[in-house]
Amino acid sequence: MSQHRILLADDHPLFRQALRTTVESIMGEVLVLEAGNLDETRQMAEREEVDLILLDLTMPGSRGLTGLVMLRGLFPQIAVAIVSANEDVALMEQALTLGAAGYIPKSSSPAQLCEALRCILGCGTWLPPQARRNSSASSEHQIIAERLRQLSPQQFKVLHLLAAGYLNKQIASELTITEPTVKTHVTAILRKLDVRNRTQAVLLLSKLGQEENSGIDSLGS
């Protein structure tokens, strides 16, 4: 059996170290990689052959489930599972609706983590015992996810900055690009999201941004 490659994407080094130690002890032959924000996660997934990304919901560069949508759009061949302290069942169901291969609460026991990883790496879908898959999940979120998947990584960054209240000049400074380039990105964002203005674009993003996390400091170019 080939060695599995798992990327831990979480901005808390101590939690990453603890999770890494647990994963290596319960999974045996496995290569564990680490990333501290969404952009590092994207870059690592581009450079390395990764089988599974364990994604924290509140990591810098991601608003709620938008990080999941972005990664699934860019890397459809890589399974992505959410690892979060949020144990809301509706959120778990929504994550699966948007393409997650599983949802693993941070309170899970090593035995549950082992079960989840083996299930997901075996091409299955995993939820904790308290969650039940909702077959009638809202199609609205699926539509939004499909639109967001069309955005490039740079357009995702611009959209997050718009959501944080940045003006074009501030976005240009933050991302080290020109204002005309920002305007071009905004125009493309509005077209891809099928909205008329910035306010509607931000409202659309907020529908998936369930977690209170608008940090974008760690985003790179």
Side-chain angles (χ1 to χ4, degrees), residues 37 39 60-61 154 156-179 181-182 185 214-221:
N37 59 60
D39 206 52
Q154 188 78 322
F156 256 98
K157 297 171 191 177
V158 171
L159 180 56
H160 278 287
L161 288 167
L162 288 175
Y166 282 54
L167 303 175
N168 282 0
K169 183 176 181 179
Q170 295 170 309
I171 295 174
S173 175
E174 182 73 21
L175 299 181
T176 320
I177 57 179
T178 66
E179 284 192 63
T181 300
V182 173
H185 282 315
S214 59
I216 44 86
D217 316 306
S218 302
L219 289 173
S221 299

Side-chain angles (χ1 to χ4, degrees), residues 38 41 53-57 59 61-76 78-83 91-103 145 148-149 156 160 208:
L38 187 61
T41 304
I53 298 173
L54 296 180
L55 179 68
D56 180 33
L57 271 183
M59 191 170 57
S62 175
R63 292 172 63 90
L65 294 170
T66 58
L68 165 66
V69 172
M70 175 183 173
L71 292 173
R72 290 295 298 142
L74 292 175
F75 310 106
I78 300 176
V80 180
I82 299 298
V83 178
L91 181 61
M92 296 179 191
E93 294 166 347
Q94 186 182 349
L96 263 63
T97 298
L98 297 178
Y103 194 109
L148 286 170
R149 287 191 188 107
F156 256 98
H160 278 287
L208 296 185

Side-chain angles (χ1 to χ4, degrees), residues 22-63:
T22 303
V23 169
E24 290 174 340
S25 74
I26 64 178
M27 295 299 291
E29 289 296 315
V30 62
L31 176 64
V32 179
L33 306 169
E34 297 182 28
N37 59 60
L38 187 61
D39 206 52
E40 285 181 9
T41 304
R42 176 181 62 81
Q43 293 174 16
M44 187 74 72
E46 288 173 345
R47 293 196 308 267
E48 305 284 346
E49 291 185 8
V50 177
D51 298 304
L52 170 63
I53 298 173
L54 296 180
L55 179 68
D56 180 33
L57 271 183
T58 59
M59 191 170 57
S62 175
R63 292 172 63 90

Side-chain angles (χ1 to χ4, degrees), residues 119-136:
C119 175
I120 294 168
L121 290 170
C123 299
T125 299
W126 193 89
L127 282 175
Q130 70 268 31
R132 295 183 300 276
R133 187 74 181 269
N134 183 359
S135 60
S136 61

